[in-house]
Amino acid sequence: NSSDNDGGGGRSGALSSPPVMEVLEKIDVNPPKGTRDFPPEEMRLRNWLFHNFREVSRLFGFEEVDYPVLESEALFIRKAGEEIRDQLYSFEDRGNRRVALRPELTPSLARLVIQKGKSVSLPLKWFAIGQCWRYERMTRGRRREHYQWNMDIIGVPEVTAEAELISSIVTFLKRLGITASDVGFKVSSRKVLQEVLRRYSIPDNLFGQVCIIIDKIEKIPQDEIKRELNSAGIAEDAVFDLLQILSVKSLDKLEEVLGSAGDAVADLKQLFSLAEKFGYSEWIQFDASIVRGLAYYTGIVFEGFDREGKLRAICGGGRYDRLLSTFGGNDIPACGFGFGDAVIVELLKEKGLLPDLSLQVQNIVCPLDQELQGAAATVATILRQKGQSVDLVLQNKPLKWVFKRAARINAGRLILVGNSEWQRGMVGVKILSTGEQYEIKLNDLD
Ligand SMILES: CC(=O)Nc1cnc2ccccc2c1
């Protein structure tokens, strides 16, 4: 590191020893396309974000789980025409198995719940923070990996589960200083679509596919939507009604159009009244056009959005009561959400809410000459046993270099091990913020 390198003095480094392997031509030192390294500063931000994910999960009594990043491709092969499917990062491994880097975490959760079967008592409240992958053909320069925080409640058919999940996201956002004037949640239920499709006796197995097409409503022209719905087998009049109902903006209007027969309206009414009790009413709004782009949602769906409309969805989730049976398991009602690590950071930047996370080391310990390197190691060990962080100077460096490094690593104090002091069982201490300097018996160091 240039600032640490004084360029002179010191013993000849490893550079003088012969290369132990054949020397390759220079490799590309950048990470693979669409992926990121996390050098210290970026890693501090990531750890800060994940610490908040974990802290909120703890507050809500959720248990952490994880799964392999590599799964059988079969876990993600759904025929509903999802984007996540077109971009599956899949390949054949050396055992000729079709495998894939997971594009999301929910199918792995379903697999584990089925595997655990009767041995787990419901409800389960599980959370995970996992890296997810996609392989985009045209490299639009978009990322091919991101980390997602997932929270899932398994075994609760009531809408209290969705209300609890939205509360956990609001709790997280508030911890970061984001308010209801920055972010809102659009909430709807796929049961709205289900009830309309039932009126036209459209078979249930088209449901997922229809939702995926409708999810593109803001992304592609409406006649393209109509064409895709028609080719999926939805009649003109049904398409017209579908698009009509998606533009409904209030629950009362929805009740008028749908009637209070099905439980779409009832679910949503209950969710909005629970939101009142949780204290996050100002964060949520009904929006019939929200369907989300995953085929397996069956009920309430929601997504977090930035009210300025500059960014993509911050998070998204919903109820998926029928996922387990698609893997041959017995269905268990479930709901959950995914919260990516990218949009939230863009939002925090926009709002000037990124924390200043600098490296902090409590002590830098330095021998004043080479014979005292051992003594310095003893001092460092004593401090570390007391739980103090120590950057131990490992080379023979001039004091100027040590002060420069102390400033760079934000050390609280400099501990100098000098000959005469050491003979008297003492070390020198310099408090770097005040410049105060004194000697102290080693045993009194705290
Ligand atoms: C904004 C962003 O990075 N999105 C992103 C990046 N990588 C992914 C990888 C898999 C699935 C979704 C992904 C989404």
Side-chain angles (χ1 to χ4, degrees), residues 85-292:
R85 163 90 169 76
D86 310 340
Q87 300 173 344
L88 193 60
Y89 208 128
S90 60
F91 55 96
E92 189 147 312
D93 73 8
R94 291 175 181 276
N96 299 101
R97 283 179 212 82
R98 292 295 305 166
V99 289
L101 296 180
R102 65 190 176 198
E104 54 164 333
L105 300 174
T106 309
S108 301
L109 175 140
R111 178 179 59 71
L112 184 57
V113 170
I114 297 170
Q115 178 199 131
K116 291 287 177 192
K118 304 275 177 290
S119 70
V120 287
S121 59
L122 300 177
L124 297 173
K125 297 180 184 179
W126 286 355
F127 85 92
I129 304 172
Q131 191 175 36
C132 297
W133 293 82
R134 66 184 173 193
Y135 188 89
E136 293 203 294
R137 290 261 167 266
M138 50 283 193
T139 46
R140 282 180 274 176
R142 295 210 304 175
R143 294 217 325 248
R144 286 187 171 159
E145 54 75 28
H146 74 161
Y147 284 83
Q148 258 195 33
W149 173 40
N150 276 218
M151 294 264 273
D152 291 86
I153 299 175
I154 301 99
V156 175
E158 293 81 2
V159 172
T160 45
E162 287 92 325
E164 176 85 332
L165 289 175
I166 294 173
S167 176
S168 72
I169 306 172
V170 169
T171 304
F172 171 78
L173 294 170
K174 287 166 78 170
R175 279 174 68 91
L176 272 50
I178 290 163
T179 69
S181 52
D182 301 318
V183 166
F185 291 85
K186 293 172 185 167
V187 182
S188 184
S189 171
R190 284 201 173 172
K191 290 182 183 172
V192 171
L193 288 178
Q194 202 172 22
E195 283 163 30
V196 174
L197 292 178
R198 284 235 169 99
R199 278 190 196 156
Y200 294 86
S201 56
I202 289 155
D204 280 355
N205 64 354
L206 286 180
F207 182 63
Q209 194 179 337
V210 169
C211 291
I212 298 314
I213 294 168
I214 290 185
D215 180 58
K216 297 184 283 191
I217 205 154
E218 317 260 321
K219 297 157 199 160
I220 61 177
Q222 192 147 60
D223 54 8
E224 169 66 22
I225 294 279
K226 286 180 181 163
R227 254 199 310 282
E228 288 195 27
L229 286 173
N230 288 151
S231 65
I234 316 290
E236 284 291 335
D237 52 349
V239 170
F240 181 78
D241 264 9
L242 267 180
L243 299 178
Q244 273 291 89
I245 208 146
L246 292 172
S247 57
V248 166
K249 287 292 177 219
S250 81
L251 267 186
D252 297 340
K253 188 85 181 63
L254 184 74
E255 188 157 29
E256 268 174 48
V257 174
L258 265 190
S260 50
D263 38 17
V265 173
D267 286 352
L268 287 161
K269 281 187 169 177
Q270 196 198 352
L271 182 74
F272 278 84
S273 100
L274 283 164
E276 188 70 40
K277 303 290 182 273
F278 274 105
Y280 62 74
S281 293
E282 45 173 356
W283 290 75
I284 65 170
Q285 65 198 54
F286 170 70
D287 184 328
S289 70
I290 294 301
V291 282
R292 296 298 296 164

